[in-house]
């Protein structure tokens, strides 16, 4: 599951029915799918940074376990912890902000029966997600690795 595929699917959903307004369900699914582009992009980063990328001599079981270890709520909490997030690069800070925003939007899209979206708004969100993902992937590996550890591992105060 590649983040770019999620982005493409989100765009397809938002642009469905080019003759008129896309169905509300398509727009909602597009928002949700854009969030999952961020989530799976981070999951892939965590697994690659801690276990090794596709060309590495890695344990596939360990890679999959690391990929699946992310918890939505924990990521949100960590991304909202400004005292720590400010220590990361601007690109990671922007990714963290976008993650929190899109997670709230995903909840709205998936669970709020009165939430209404329009095509331009949704396409703008998708473009922003794509931009933040690209910025995030350009961050040096050591910084992405530090962020992966931050969102995955428990923080001890002792």
């Amino acid at each position: 599951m590649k983040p770019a595929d999620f982005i493409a699917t989100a765009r397809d959903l938002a642009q469905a029915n080019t003759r008129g307004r896309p169905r509300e369900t398509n727009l909602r699914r597009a928002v949700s799918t854009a969030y999952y582009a961020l989530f799976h992009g981070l999951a892939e980063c965590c697994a690659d940074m801690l276990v090794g990328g596709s060309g590495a001599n890695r344990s596939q079981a360990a890679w999959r376990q690391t990929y699946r270890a992310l918890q939505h709520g924990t990521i949100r909490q960590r991304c909202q912890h400004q005292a720590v997030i400010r220590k990361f690069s601007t690109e990671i800070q922007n990714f963290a902000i976008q993650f929190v925003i899109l997670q709230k939007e995903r909840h709205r899209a998936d669970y709020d029966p009165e939430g209404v979206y329009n095509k331009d708004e949704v396409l703008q969100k998708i473009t922003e997600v794509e931009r933040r993902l690209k910025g995030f992937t350009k961050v040096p590996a050591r910084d992405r690795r530090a962020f992966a550890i931050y969102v995955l591992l428990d923080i001890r105060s002792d």
Side-chain angles (χ1 to χ4, degrees):
M1 294 191 294
K2 297 293 181 193
D5 293 338
F6 282 94
I7 295 291
T9 298
R11 278 207 175 92
D12 289 346
L13 286 164
Q15 295 173 335
N17 190 11
T18 56
R19 293 183 187 192
R21 186 181 188 284
R23 275 183 262 165
E24 186 65 28
T25 53
N26 282 359
L27 294 173
R28 286 170 176 263
R29 293 309 313 149
V31 170
S32 188
T33 301
Y35 165 76
Y36 280 106
L38 288 173
F39 182 83
H40 286 283
L42 182 56
E44 182 179 39
C45 170
C46 290
D48 286 352
M49 291 293 104
L50 299 179
V51 181
S54 60
N57 181 17
R58 68 181 188 195
S59 161
Q60 193 60 29
W63 188 90
R64 185 179 187 280
Q65 180 180 354
T66 305
Y67 188 102
R68 299 270 299 130
L70 281 177
Q71 299 291 322
H72 296 270
T74 302
I75 301 167
R76 183 190 67 248
Q77 291 169 353
R78 301 277 169 85
C79 287
Q80 289 176 322
H81 197 285
Q82 288 302 308
V84 176
I85 289 297
R86 275 190 235 119
K87 295 177 183 179
F88 288 101
S89 69
T90 302
E91 292 82 5
I92 290 178
Q93 290 177 45
N94 290 338
F95 180 91
I97 290 166
Q98 191 65 36
F99 191 93
V100 171
I101 290 168
L102 252 291
Q103 190 180 78
K104 287 177 186 174
E105 284 296 323
R106 183 190 71 84
H107 289 158
R108 180 175 162 237
D110 289 351
Y111 305 116
D112 182 356
E114 296 177 352
V116 177
Y117 290 93
N118 70 60
K119 180 179 176 177
D120 291 338
E121 170 190 17
V122 171
L123 289 172
Q124 183 178 5
K125 289 177 190 315
I126 295 165
T127 298
E128 188 65 18
V129 165
E130 185 175 40
R131 191 165 71 114
R132 296 306 178 199
L133 275 167
K134 284 181 182 174
F136 182 75
T137 60
K138 291 179 182 176
V139 171
R142 81 177 219 148
D143 296 334
R144 284 182 286 132
R145 185 174 296 110
F147 187 67
I149 290 167
Y150 173 64
V151 297
L152 275 176
L153 302 180
D154 289 338
I155 299 172
R156 296 187 52 146
S157 60
D158 57 345

